[in-house]
Amino acid sequence: MTGLRIAVIAPGARQIESLLGLLPAGSQASAYPGTLASQAAHAALAAPDVLVADLGDGAASDVLLPLQACAGLPVLALSARQDAEFLLAAMRAGVREVLPLSPDGQHLRAALERIAGLRSSQRAAQGKLLAFVSCKGGSGATFLAANLAYALAAQGSRTALLDFNLQFGDALLFLSDRAPVRTLADLARSHERLDATFLAASMTEVGPLSVLAAAQDPAQSADILPDHLASVLALARSRYDHVVVDVGRNLDARSLRALDQADLIYPVLQITLPFIRDGRRLLEVFGGLGYGAGRISPVVNRHERRGDISIAEVEQTLGMAVARTIPNHYAAAAASVNQGVPIIRLAGRSPVSRALRQWSAGFVEAPVARRSWMPTWKRSLG
């Protein structure tokens, strides 16, 4: 973490001095005595790598409002409040982690280490990371993530599908009936020996696609830490052209590892009011986390052209253009899922298959056409 620029906001000199004493050696710290309301904008102007903010007792969620001036800046908040309501409000405001009001040095340095690790992995990344997140259960996000990954691989891209749905991940079942070689939980248990070779050996191959399955037992997901996911992502991006991640629906410190690094985030919804409402809420959270609009591409699944709600009305509610629509073809999609066969293999003429091929083609450069030698050959005879 040498050279990490840290801005510290705390109410008084005593709190400032205490926090400065906990920072790792080699960091460049700037102190801003006062409240978050009075100092957030000043700290943001200095463009630090991370902001550490002492929120006091955090009695009201509106204490987080000044963080609007820090959009895109990683924030570590120190607060006496640790309840679910406050943590959700903090996430919406763009806070990466909430630590106890008086953290010990080990926990604070570990949190800063995670921020530094994220910056390093972003610089080293090569493959494009595509993250799918469901606006509401049943959106079809896993189906689209799995089948887009297969379509990319079928077009010649080195592609990996990572199932980061830590509770009930089943992305592999959408493509194959094979048992996984290893799971994400297995990699977490062997984290100390995780390298590119071990990752490759842990993939289940489905034709041209490499798949890392989720834990078979949801209880195993408790052993998977954010750092485990960060290591898997960094290795996958160093080996593959495209890394497709099924994030699931839960937003926490682990799922944020994938979303923070994603080149594109695909919130998946269907055109019903509950999906649209939850989609808007999710986009608000993404805005609070500092995810720029250019990284977020809403996808409407099972689209019917003559539905009760138009795409224009969806876009108006979301406050963002819909990037892609996937037509409704229930029979083909259901057969694909039930048989565990990619839809472009099972029903190549389905409108869903056509949409997936068109989608994947946008990521894969077409090979440069070779000039024919025939005209020259003919001319040489003339």
Side-chain angles (χ1 to χ4, degrees):
M1 288 189 294
T2 302
L4 191 68
R5 293 174 292 118
I6 304 171
V8 178
I9 298 177
R14 181 176 61 82
Q15 292 95 330
I16 289 282
E17 183 178 359
S18 175
L19 287 174
L20 292 179
L22 298 178
L23 297 181
S27 56
Q28 303 173 24
S30 300
Y32 296 86
T35 64
L36 189 63
S38 64
Q39 297 292 353
H42 298 298
L45 285 175
D49 297 315
V50 60
L51 170 65
V52 178
D54 182 333
L55 303 182
D57 59 11
S61 296
D62 59 7
V63 72
L64 300 164
L65 290 178
L67 289 179
Q68 294 175 354
C70 305
L73 175 63
V75 177
L76 298 179
L78 312 179
S79 173
R81 282 191 65 180
Q82 300 285 315
D83 57 276
E85 179 184 357
F86 184 77
L87 294 178
L88 179 59
M91 182 179 292
R92 286 175 172 166
V95 175
R96 285 291 182 269
E97 296 189 40
V98 179
L99 303 179
L101 188 58
S102 299
D104 61 43
Q106 181 180 359
H107 287 151
L108 179 60
R109 288 190 291 271
L112 292 170
E113 192 78 55
R114 287 190 283 272
I115 296 293
L118 174 61
R119 293 170 65 241
S120 297
S121 63
Q122 286 174 333
R123 288 195 297 266
Q126 297 175 2
K128 186 177 288 291
L129 178 58
L130 313 176
F132 282 75
V133 57
S134 180
C135 293
K136 185 177 178 62
S139 68
T142 300
F143 174 85
L144 293 182
N147 280 278
L148 177 64
Y150 188 87
L152 283 165
Q155 294 200 43
S157 166
R158 294 176 303 165
T159 303
L161 172 64
L162 309 182
D163 193 344
F164 279 14
N165 189 338
L166 300 182
Q167 292 297 322
F168 299 103
D170 56 2
L172 179 60
L173 289 176
F174 283 71
L175 303 173
S176 173
D177 59 0
R178 293 182 57 191
V181 175
R182 289 190 182 90
T183 71
L184 184 59
D186 295 324
L187 266 63
R189 284 193 294 268
S190 303
H191 184 249
E192 68 284 349
R193 68 185 186 97
L194 180 61
D195 58 17
T197 301
F198 185 43
L199 175 65
S202 302
M203 293 292 196
T204 302
E205 303 301 329
V206 181
L209 176 66
S210 300
V211 183
L212 179 61
Q216 300 283 69
D217 183 351
Q220 297 174 342
S221 67
D223 298 326
I224 302 174
L225 304 178
D227 288 348
H228 299 155
L229 302 185
S231 297
V232 171
L233 287 170
L235 286 173
R237 297 186 78 176
S238 71
R239 288 185 53 87
Y240 296 94
D241 300 321
H242 294 93
V243 178
V244 180
V245 182
D246 180 19
V247 176
R249 188 162 185 259
N250 293 328
L251 295 182
D252 55 25
R254 296 181 295 182
S255 60
L256 288 179
R257 285 306 177 97
L259 295 174
D260 281 346
Q261 295 188 38
D263 295 288
L264 288 171
I265 300 172
Y266 293 112
V268 180
L269 68 153
Q270 296 182 25
I271 301 188
T272 64
L273 287 178
F275 275 104
I276 298 169
R277 179 198 60 191
D278 285 6
R280 180 182 178 88
R281 291 175 176 174
L282 185 61
L283 294 183
E284 289 174 351
V285 171
F286 288 164
L289 291 170
Y291 300 160
R295 295 174 58 202
I296 302 173
S297 299
V299 177
V300 169
N301 192 26
R302 300 189 65 182
H303 177 234
E304 298 275 7
R305 291 185 179 275
R306 298 182 180 181
D308 294 334
I309 303 175
S310 69
I311 291 293
E313 291 171 317
V314 173
E315 293 176 332
Q316 183 177 6
T317 303
L318 296 179
M320 180 176 293
V322 169
R324 192 164 295 274
T325 60
I326 305 299
N328 184 28
H329 191 191
Y330 178 78
S336 169
V337 173
N338 290 335
Q339 297 181 41
V341 178
I343 192 169
I344 65 171
R345 280 181 48 197
L346 184 69
R349 296 184 179 181
S350 165
V352 177
S353 297
R354 290 197 296 268
L356 287 166
R357 282 194 294 265
Q358 182 184 30
W359 192 353
S360 62
F363 291 106
V364 181
E365 293 184 4
V368 177
R370 295 183 179 179
R371 296 183 61 184
S372 172
W373 53 269
M374 184 65 75
T376 304
W377 176 74
K378 284 185 174 181
R379 285 196 298 271
S380 68
L381 294 179

